Amino acid sequence: MRNKRGDKVIVSPGNSKLGKLPNVSLIPGKDCTNCSKCIKTCYALKAFRAYPSVHRAWSDNSETLRNNPAAYFDEVRAYLSRHSPVLFRIHVAGDFITQKHLDRWLEIAEEFPGTRFLAFTKSFEFLPLHSTLPENMSLVVSMWPGMKAPTRKGYAIAYAGDAADYQGAHNKRAAAAVDCPGNCDTCGICWSLAKKGQDVNFPFH
């Protein structure tokens, strides 16, 4: 299925931070549900505005997802069937925009048990009970200073900034979090944070 420009959903083969790690993205801000605290300094929004090829790819993905979600996920399935990646990153930019959108990704994870999926999310209202996630799906709560934490328990947290930017229990959790080394395909720790009882810290970038 192609969108009005004739382009298929684009799965990126990776970038300088992710390494050679397949991923799919949407439009930062527009395709987010809880970004009031982070949108002004969003690194993905900077890339979206700076690089025409990125702007086109993420816009095409957003258009297809919103107008024909069945076609969007058919393209994702086709990629996974052809390449059988060990690791896959959902939403380097953008987030889950509806409950059904998240649920469809959970179905994808169940269909492809040989691939481990990871998404960082601020769409807290869509989070299921952690115990119900497919074994190969890692959803990590993405926290920003001043943001209200989700009520769902059991999820690992990705903290942006310094531990001093957080208060109470989150100050202690952020201080104990492992620091991101900066290359996903040579690290992979975020795919198993909850299983290891760990959180992760990302510097502002």
Side-chain angles (χ1 to χ4, degrees):
M1 180 68 186
R2 296 174 184 269
N3 63 22
K4 66 185 180 183
R5 280 190 287 265
D7 298 312
K8 290 186 177 181
V9 171
I10 296 173
V11 176
S12 169
N15 58 38
S16 59
K17 181 178 185 298
L18 294 175
K20 296 178 181 179
L21 183 70
N23 60 90
V24 66
S25 288
L26 300 169
I27 299 176
K30 176 184 176 181
D31 296 322
C32 299
T33 66
N34 182 24
C35 62
S36 62
K37 299 293 184 182
C38 58
I39 190 64
K40 291 183 179 179
T41 55
C42 176
Y43 76 93
L45 187 58
K46 295 175 185 176
F48 181 73
R49 290 170 172 170
Y51 302 106
S53 61
V54 170
H55 189 284
R56 182 172 58 253
W58 295 357
S59 296
D60 288 343
N61 286 355
S62 177
E63 179 186 311
T64 305
L65 175 65
R66 289 178 176 275
N67 295 328
N68 195 338
Y72 179 92
F73 284 103
D74 281 348
E75 293 295 341
V76 171
R77 287 187 180 91
Y79 178 90
L80 294 170
S81 295
R82 287 195 305 269
H83 299 282
S84 301
V86 175
L87 302 177
F88 191 94
R89 174 76 182 274
I90 305 168
H91 303 150
V92 174
D95 206 336
F96 302 110
I97 58 176
T98 64
Q99 184 69 62
K100 189 172 183 179
H101 179 201
L102 172 55
D103 291 345
R104 293 292 290 274
W105 273 110
L106 298 181
E107 292 171 5
I108 290 285
E110 291 177 342
E111 290 176 35
F112 295 89
T115 295
R116 294 165 62 198
F117 297 86
L118 167 68
F120 297 94
T121 182
K122 295 182 178 74
S123 296
F124 303 153
E125 69 270 34
F126 305 141
L127 290 172
L129 291 173
H130 190 270
S131 60
T132 66
L133 292 178
E135 181 68 19
N136 60 327
M137 171 64 84
S138 178
L139 295 181
V140 179
V141 166
S142 181
M143 285 287 289
W144 201 265
M147 181 177 289
K148 185 177 180 180
T151 57
R152 288 291 193 196
K153 305 300 182 182
Y155 285 91
I157 297 176
Y159 290 98
D162 299 322
D165 297 324
Y166 298 89
Q167 299 179 349
H170 286 287
N171 174 269
K172 295 180 180 179
R173 284 188 67 165
V178 297
D179 292 327
C180 171
N183 193 294
C184 289
D185 68 348
T186 59
C187 174
I189 191 173
C190 290
W191 276 260
S192 56
L193 286 171
K195 293 179 182 178
K196 295 181 177 180
Q198 295 177 311
D199 300 306
V200 65
N201 177 266
F202 292 98
F204 290 126
H205 55 285

